[in-house]
């Protein structure tokens, strides 16, 4: 058993334990393995243990890995999430190679992704990134602007609005982390209840290595874990 496979099993155990503690079914939480800065072999190692969804922050690096693994056995079954900032000059790369984009925070970017998504591919799955706690160095749109952007994005062709993503500042303790994640969950519920979307969102992407338990307690349906699987960068 490799270190990555062993780490994957430990993370899955953490998710299961956190779900039971929160009174949730572990099947309601997906694990996104964040493989940024690690090579294709590390991804292949994780994939050998059944991990299918991988997150990349750096678009060019991510595309290189996608192409390197696509021709290998099982490579076509991998699901690739762009979780880093998307600039206008990189939207075509994202639209042509990724399955999900979790970091949309501007209508212009969503429109370019919609226009550049090849007709031969399934629709691009979209999460809006929210700067839930107003972090000065964080990407994402203010909570007050989420509903309006969600309505616009949901109308674009070749995109499917799936949910919200947030990366709050590190919290002092479990209760503080739960509280800030709960704010994103409340926003998620409010947008769904508003009636502005043709189909309710189903994905709440919250929690990383340090705070996945708090995120699951607050209602996360997808945790993005890198360090606990692949090691320190």
């Amino acid at each position: 058993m490799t270190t990555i496979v062993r780490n994957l099993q430990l993370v899955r155990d953490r998710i299961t334990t956190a779900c039971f503690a929160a009174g949730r079914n572990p099947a309601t939480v997906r694990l996104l393995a964040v493989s940024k800065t690690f090579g294709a072999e590390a991804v292949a190692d994780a994939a050998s243990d059944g991990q299918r969804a991988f997150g990349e922050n750096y678009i060019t690096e991510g595309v290189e890995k996608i192409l390197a693994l696509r021709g290998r056995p099982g490579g076509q079954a991998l699901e690739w999430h762009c979780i880093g900032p998307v600039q206008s000059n990189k939207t075509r790369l994202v639209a042509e190679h990724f399955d999900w984009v979790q970091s949309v925070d501007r209508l212009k970017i969503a429109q370019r992704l919609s226009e550049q998504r090849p007709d031969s591919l399934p629709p691009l799955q979209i999460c809006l990134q929210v700067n839930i706690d107003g972090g000065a160095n964080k990407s994402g749109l203010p909570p007050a602007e989420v509903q309006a952007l969600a309505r616009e994005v949901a109308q674009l062709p070749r995109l499917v609005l799936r949910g919200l993503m947030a990366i709050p500042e590190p919290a002092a303790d479990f209760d503080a982390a739960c509280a800030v994640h709960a704010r994103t969950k409340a926003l998620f519920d409010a947008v769904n209840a508003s009636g502005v979307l043709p189909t309710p969102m189903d994905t709440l992407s919250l929690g990383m290595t340090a705070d996945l338990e708090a995120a699951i307690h607050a209602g996360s349906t997808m945790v993005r874990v890198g360090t606990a699987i692949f090691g320190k960068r």
Side-chain angles (χ1 to χ4, degrees), residues 61-78:
E61 174 194 328
V63 169
E64 290 174 355
K65 277 181 259 190
I66 292 168
L67 295 176
L69 291 164
R70 187 167 288 164
R72 299 191 188 186
Q76 294 285 350
L78 301 183

Side-chain angles (χ1 to χ4, degrees), residues 4 13 31 40 42 48 50 54 59 62 65 95 109 114 117-118 129 141 150 152 165 180:
I4 288 175
D13 288 344
L31 171 60
S48 73
F54 294 89
I59 293 166
K65 277 181 259 190
I109 295 299
S114 173
R117 182 68 168 176
Q129 183 172 354
L141 67 156
E152 297 285 348
M165 183 269 268
V180 71

Side-chain angles (χ1 to χ4, degrees), residues 59-109:
I59 293 166
T60 302
E61 174 194 328
V63 169
E64 290 174 355
K65 277 181 259 190
I66 292 168
L67 295 176
L69 291 164
R70 187 167 288 164
R72 299 191 188 186
Q76 294 285 350
L78 301 183
E79 180 181 282
W80 294 93
H81 295 234
C82 176
I83 59 174
V86 181
Q87 303 301 323
S88 295
N89 64 343
K90 294 291 180 68
T91 53
R92 184 173 297 278
L93 274 177
V94 174
E96 292 179 347
H97 295 284
F98 284 85
D99 303 296
W100 285 65
V101 185
Q102 297 199 21
S103 48
V104 172
D105 60 5
R106 288 178 289 157
L107 180 59
K108 176 184 176 181
I109 295 299

